[in-house]
Amino acid sequence: MDKLETALQKYFDYDSFRLGQREIIEDILAKKHVFATLPTGSGKSLCYQLPAYMLDGVVLVVTPLLSLMEDQIRQLKKRGFKQVVAINSFKTASERALIFNDLSTYKLIYLSPEMLQKKIIKQKLSQLTIALFVIDEAHCISQWGHEFRPDYLKLNEIIDQLGQPTVLALTATATSDVQQDIVNHFDTIQFNKHIYPVDRDNIAFMVQNVNNRVDKDKFLIDLFTKLTVPTIIYFSSKKESERVALLLSEKFNQLSIAFYHGDLDTNERLLIQEQFIEDQINIICSTSAFGMGVDKQNVRLVIHYHLPTQIESFIQEVGRAGRDQLESVSIALIAPGDKQLPLKLILNELPPVDILELITTHMNQTNQEWIQIVPSMITDIWGLNETQWRFIKNFFEETGILIDEDKINIKKITPMLRRDFIRKVEERNRYKLRKLNELFEWIDTKDCRREQLFKDFQTSVRSAKYHCCDRCGFEVEQWSPESVVRKQTASSWSDQLKSVLLPFKVGGIDNG
Ligand SMILES: [Zn+2]
């Protein structure tokens, strides 16, 4: 056993590295910058967590995924690693102040990109020795990435300010264009590239066309009458995830079924995740909120009751099946009109084009030049959600209208600027629609679904280890997976679970 394996065994209790991990970690320890694409579920986080134990200095991880941060910290603490902390909007100002006091005692610090823009944080970080700067979800740098985060564009500058530590840029799904975009963005950094394929040869793909929601429900009921395997069903609507969870619970007494979405509190969510991992819950009806950081090996089936808004998200969600490399299946249920819901989601992500007029009208009443923005203005007066506000804020920053994070100069919002803004919103909208169309073209494809799904992400796609796809002749009837029976719940768990599942038992969900 060499030094790295010894460390892996000592800190994580694993016997061997997964694909790519060793090569990436060796480069990092040799102070080489690394750009890596590793598929979902392949152990991306270990690539910086193990170095955090081994390096002198701090490992900084920038990630937009707040729940993933919290999950990873919980898991690390469970393993006995206490020198880890997250700085994000979940923390109150006083909690943050406490963290800042002890900042030098941490080995691994998770940060949201928004937090990293704050002066006080930059100043505190500059006093530390940063051994490794990790850019998680690196595709957020690219305009053409599926989740562009304007704040990611400023990472370059921050890396310089921190004295150019070793950089690790990681992503699970980036097309070759996006990969190039990421590397180009950091023009002063020479990356060693580790690109691993994202395709999954153990998952069979199928699309089931149905007439309506009733048929989707019926399909699920028929399917679960025949098989019981660990399953995630994805929805775009919280209400629908609850409705179907209730419906299936009523039909299948012997199965344990839960819904999962952003309205549940952290404890409920953690509980459901644990239960699912332990096979105490069979089926999760969830929004896209579920899956990040849930390390479950034997998910056999991922069903899309609704589709996400782009292929990258679809690949990530499907990729939660079959991490144990055994045969697994992806089923997308499609009814006429199914494009409407993702269309609505896309529209909801972009600010209304006339928002600048609303903002100037509102601000003009105060008669001041620089006006401080408070959160209630954003949500209550302007009616914006977080994503919409992020878009506007970035535009304001780029055009010098916003300074010190929250002061805007109303006089600078000229008619010309308003036109620029509208052009920007429209451009983004077109891009999003194009991404959505890609996904629907995939739904309609007559060719092999596996090849079509992964073709933009890698030069060649492996052939299927088990079944391939419906276009290549796969039917779900051919699939006979081993049943996973529900495990007995420990009493304390069971009591806690009741509180989560209670709505099912009493049928008290308001379906509106
Ligand atoms: Zn095929």
Side-chain angles (χ1 to χ4, degrees), residues 230-245:
T231 302
I232 307 172
I233 311 177
Y234 279 109
F235 297 81
S236 318
S237 137
K238 294 173 192 168
K239 247 187 205 165
E240 280 289 280
S241 73
E242 291 188 15
R243 183 188 64 81
V244 173

Side-chain angles (χ1 to χ4, degrees), residues 22-36 47 51 55 131-134 164-169 188-194:
R22 169 187 280 279
E23 292 75 6
I24 293 168
I25 294 171
E26 278 173 349
D27 270 2
I28 290 168
L29 296 180
K31 295 192 187 337
K32 289 174 185 156
H33 304 299
V34 174
F35 171 65
C47 297
L55 289 164
L132 178 65
F133 190 101
V134 183
Q164 291 223 336
T166 309
V167 174
L168 167 64
T188 57
I189 296 174
Q190 271 296 337
F191 282 112
N192 272 12
K193 287 198 221 168
H194 296 269

Side-chain angles (χ1 to χ4, degrees), residues 334-502:
I334 307 294
D338 265 6
K339 220 174 177 175
Q340 294 312 313
L341 202 56
L343 266 178
K344 232 165 84 182
L345 291 176
I346 287 173
L347 279 179
N348 211 18
E349 282 174 15
L350 289 165
V353 286
D354 57 356
I355 185 70
L356 293 199
E357 270 157 292
L358 182 72
I359 291 175
T360 27
T361 316
H362 165 232
M363 293 288 207
N364 269 335
Q365 295 164 359
T366 63
N367 235 346
Q368 289 165 287
E369 192 178 358
W370 289 96
I371 303 165
Q372 187 148 12
I373 297 171
V374 292
S376 63
M377 285 181 190
I378 300 165
T379 50
D380 303 347
I381 301 174
W382 305 334
L384 298 167
N385 63 37
E386 201 193 321
T387 322
Q388 293 169 329
W389 172 240
R390 211 184 293 130
F391 186 97
I392 299 169
K393 189 177 166 209
N394 175 249
F395 179 78
F396 282 174
E397 276 174 344
E398 277 177 2
T399 47
I401 286 168
L402 184 122
I403 59 159
D404 292 347
E405 292 166 35
D406 58 1
K407 282 196 204 70
I408 64 174
N409 186 334
I410 196 78
K411 303 278 182 292
K412 288 191 177 175
I413 304 181
T414 59
M416 197 172 94
L417 194 109
R418 285 211 290 263
R419 280 198 295 278
D420 282 351
F421 178 78
I422 292 171
R423 204 163 49 229
K424 215 166 166 165
V425 173
E426 286 172 348
E427 187 186 315
R428 191 76 197 147
N429 193 28
R430 274 197 299 277
Y431 168 72
K432 289 252 168 195
L433 293 179
R434 204 166 63 230
K435 296 299 288 179
L436 179 63
N437 278 333
E438 277 175 15
L439 186 56
F440 276 85
E441 277 166 20
W442 180 79
I443 292 294
D444 292 336
T445 187
K446 298 279 178 269
D447 303 324
C448 172
R449 292 201 188 279
R450 170 183 313 282
E451 269 174 31
Q452 293 303 311
L453 188 63
F454 297 111
K455 69 176 177 1
D456 290 338
F457 298 89
Q458 54 202 70
T459 43
S460 70
V461 180
R462 288 175 292 176
S463 52
K465 204 158 120 189
Y466 305 99
H467 292 104
C468 185
C469 70
D470 52 355
R471 294 297 185 232
C472 296
F474 170 68
E475 289 169 19
V476 74
E477 288 74 21
Q478 299 167 349
W479 186 42
S480 48
E482 202 181 314
S483 274
V484 175
V485 286
R486 176 175 20 159
K487 283 198 189 139
Q488 206 56 46
T489 354
S491 64
S492 62
W493 283 110
S494 135
D495 288 343
Q496 293 174 64
L497 181 68
K498 261 183 214 151
S499 66
V500 179
L501 295 179
L502 196 60

Side-chain angles (χ1 to χ4, degrees), residues 178-239:
V178 172
Q179 289 176 19
Q180 197 52 48
D181 217 10
I182 296 168
V183 173
N184 289 348
H185 178 72
F186 295 100
D187 50 357
T188 57
I189 296 174
Q190 271 296 337
F191 282 112
N192 272 12
K193 287 198 221 168
H194 296 269
I195 309 293
Y196 293 94
V198 296
D199 66 334
R200 299 288 305 276
D201 60 358
N202 60 323
I203 301 176
F205 294 89
M206 72 172 266
V207 171
Q208 180 73 31
N209 286 298
V210 295
N211 291 321
N212 48 40
R213 193 174 82 166
V214 178
D215 286 358
K216 288 189 184 183
D217 295 349
K218 190 175 171 302
F219 180 90
L220 294 178
I221 291 167
D222 289 349
L223 188 65
F224 295 124
T225 306
K226 282 177 241 153
L227 48 87
T228 307
V229 290
T231 302
I232 307 172
I233 311 177
Y234 279 109
F235 297 81
S236 318
S237 137
K238 294 173 192 168
K239 247 187 205 165

Side-chain angles (χ1 to χ4, degrees), residues 140-155:
C140 295
I141 290 172
S142 172
Q143 295 267 6
W144 317 119
H146 55 289
E147 248 162 328
F148 174 53
R149 290 288 191 128
D151 280 328
Y152 262 60
L153 293 176
K154 298 171 205 150
L155 294 181

